[in-house]
């Protein structure tokens, strides 16, 4: 089984998901579990930090697609940060930059959420 780890932490009103290793069909349920927990707790502002993610498959991409509308319908969003070139290229190839916001680091993504709260 591929090595994958997911960690959830908070900064003010923003939930931060750290993903590490290989996100594929075998490991995607771990990430889905975190998103389900966020929905149950009504936490809809999410930053995903890909700093330690080495690989993502279509099943991994599908997890984000499954939750983005629910987050947005509740005045939240999913923002992506710290993607390695090989992982970003997969998102880019499938047109995700048109649907999602990508940032170089998580501070930028968190700031965007906080600025939106103030406006």
């Amino acid at each position: 089984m591929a090595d994958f780890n997911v960690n959830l932490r908070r900064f003010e009103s923003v939930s931060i998901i750290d993903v590490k290793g290989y996100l594929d069909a075998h490991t995607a349920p771990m990430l889905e579990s975190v998103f389900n927990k966020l929905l149950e707790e009504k936490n809809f502002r999410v930053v995903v930090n890909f700093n330690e993610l080495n690989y993502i498959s279509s099943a991994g991409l599908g997890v984000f697609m499954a939750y983005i509308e629910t987050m947005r319908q509740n005045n939240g969003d999913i923002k992506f940060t710290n993607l390695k070139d090989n992982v970003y290229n997969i998102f880019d190839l499938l047109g995700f930059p048109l649907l999602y916001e990508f940032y170089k680091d998580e501070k930028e993504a968190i700031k965007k959420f906080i600025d939106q709260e103030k406006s």
Side-chain angles (χ1 to χ4, degrees), residues 21 23 28 92:
L23 180 55
D92 190 35

Side-chain angles (χ1 to χ4, degrees), residues 12-23:
E12 296 185 11
S13 64
V14 180
S15 298
I16 303 155
I17 300 174
D18 297 302
V19 289
K20 179 180 180 180
Y22 294 83
L23 180 55

